Amino acid sequence: MESIGWSWRNLSAGVESKETEDAFFYSGAPVEAYQDCFYASAGVVLVFGLTAAICMAFDVAQYRSLKDANKLILITHIAYCLIFLGTAAPYSIAMVRVLFAPGAPRGLLQPYIQRCIFYPLALQLAMYVFEGAFRSVLRINWFLFVHHLMFCTFLVLAFQSQSLFVIKVDLIVSCFATYEFMLYAALIARRVGALRSACSVLLVTGLSFYLLTRLVQLAILIGLFVLSYEPMRASGRTIALYWVSLCMCVVLVALQSYTFVIYRGIWNSTAGYRKQRQQPILPTQDSARSGDTHFSVFHQEPLGLQ
């Protein structure tokens, strides 16, 4: 049953009926989504190439003296910041309309809503695939690797099962990951040697915003799962899809929560809260040549999730 007004209960709208699902999955929308993945891949390559050229030309963050692995991770942070910053607003508007607007979830059938969802989602997917691949070779990070793998698996599950419910879960998880752009900005500022006060402001603002958005995300996810249980069971479709989505969602949220532990360490290093020894923001000249720092932000970074 479709909604007739703005409501929290619209989260479960359309779950019990295959009408909207069939209209979405048997239209040209999946093909458009696949095409956007190709466009996004080309866009990510372009962003990486231009960013690397600029960093090399101006020796940003002593780029020329960094090890190849650290160069790649620095460029990745910049790419995440630019992509998430540029897509957060349109993605959020589209998510709100699909989940809560009158007539939800038929917003998924509107071309402009599809563009606001598919492009950010495809860019995020391309970044996760690229980062997961090169980190598996250069410097493995199992938290990041598992997160990216599960995110990609979730998308495959949504399109293979042709489930509107899983599409909604994917939309919530993916959209809220774009709000990490402020934390990436803090990482970049720290790496380029910005003033300690500026780094601290960015970290405090970014972490506060990150915490707020994660609480909102958790509330929406809980509402979606609670309100959709009965419609999913009554629809005659396998309830196993509901439980699989729930388990995967719990793991993804837990991995995203670990980001707080990572940024606590970055805050301690940046703000100088260590009593025994204070970590410098910039690496020394010798360590810069080797690509190492006393506390390197490249060993642990946000999950992109996020």
Side-chain angles (χ1 to χ4, degrees):
M1 181 172 57
E2 295 179 5
S3 61
I4 58 175
W6 290 88
S7 173
W8 176 262
R9 300 190 66 85
N10 291 349
L11 279 169
S12 62
V15 172
E16 76 283 2
S17 173
K18 286 185 63 63
E19 180 183 353
T20 304
E21 284 183 341
D22 291 342
F24 176 77
F25 286 105
Y26 292 103
S27 67
V31 176
E32 292 288 340
Y34 298 144
Q35 290 177 342
D36 290 343
C37 289
F38 291 103
Y39 301 147
S41 299
V44 167
V45 172
L46 181 61
V47 170
F48 268 71
L50 291 176
T51 304
I54 293 173
C55 289
M56 178 64 74
F58 296 96
D59 197 22
V60 177
Q62 300 179 355
Y63 182 82
R64 298 169 188 166
S65 60
L66 292 176
K67 287 183 177 180
D68 290 340
N70 288 345
K71 288 180 180 179
L72 194 52
I73 296 173
L74 173 62
I75 298 302
T76 303
H77 286 170
I78 297 174
Y80 269 126
C81 184
L82 293 175
I83 290 173
F84 284 170
L85 178 62
T87 59
Y91 206 175
S92 300
I93 293 172
M95 180 191 67
V96 169
R97 293 197 61 84
V98 169
L99 297 179
F100 303 108
R106 296 194 65 85
L108 279 172
L109 306 180
Q110 299 174 356
Y112 75 96
I113 294 293
Q114 292 178 1
R115 296 278 69 77
C116 291
I117 292 175
F118 291 161
Y119 281 133
L121 183 59
L123 286 168
Q124 191 174 347
L125 178 63
M127 285 294 300
Y128 283 176
V129 170
F130 180 78
E131 185 181 29
F134 83 73
R135 287 301 299 270
S136 300
V137 177
L138 295 178
R139 183 179 294 164
I140 190 67
N141 182 317
W142 287 108
F143 284 98
L144 181 147
F145 182 80
V146 173
H147 170 269
H148 290 1
L149 180 62
M150 293 199 66
F151 179 88
C152 297
T153 304
F154 229 146
L155 286 178
V156 173
L157 178 65
F159 281 92
Q160 289 299 316
S161 64
Q162 297 186 347
S163 169
L164 180 61
F165 171 75
V166 184
I167 286 289
K168 288 184 177 183
V169 177
D170 281 338
L171 180 60
I172 298 168
V173 172
S174 174
C175 181
F176 277 89
T178 62
Y179 300 148
E180 294 181 5
F181 66 86
M182 295 185 67
L183 294 179
Y184 282 108
L187 281 172
I188 297 167
R190 182 181 185 277
R191 184 57 193 162
V192 300
L195 293 175
R196 190 179 302 276
S197 58
C199 292
S200 299
V201 170
L202 277 173
L203 276 174
V204 171
T205 305
L207 277 171
S208 301
F209 187 63
Y210 182 80
L211 176 60
L212 176 62
T213 55
R214 286 300 179 237
L215 291 175
V216 174
Q217 179 194 47
L218 185 61
I220 295 176
L221 285 172
I222 291 175
L224 175 62
F225 278 99
V226 170
L227 294 173
S228 299
Y229 177 74
E230 286 298 333
M232 284 283 288
R233 191 178 64 170
S235 66
R237 305 189 65 180
T238 173
I239 195 65
L241 188 62
Y242 176 92
W243 293 112
V244 169
S245 299
L246 177 60
C247 292
M248 294 181 66
C249 193
V250 168
V251 174
L252 283 170
V253 172
L255 287 171
Q256 289 176 335
S257 300
Y258 183 77
T259 303
F260 287 107
V261 178
I262 297 174
Y263 280 101
R264 184 181 62 182
I266 298 174
W267 167 260
N268 290 340
S269 175
T270 301
Y273 274 29
R274 298 177 186 269
K275 296 181 180 180
Q276 297 296 330
R277 55 181 181 175
Q278 182 173 338
Q279 307 293 341
I281 292 182
L282 281 176
T284 62
Q285 185 176 4
D286 293 335
S287 65
R289 292 195 183 99
S290 64
D292 296 327
T293 60
H294 295 287
F295 180 85
S296 175
V297 298
F298 301 114
H299 287 284
Q300 293 178 311
E301 58 278 310
L303 296 175
L305 292 278
Q306 299 135 160

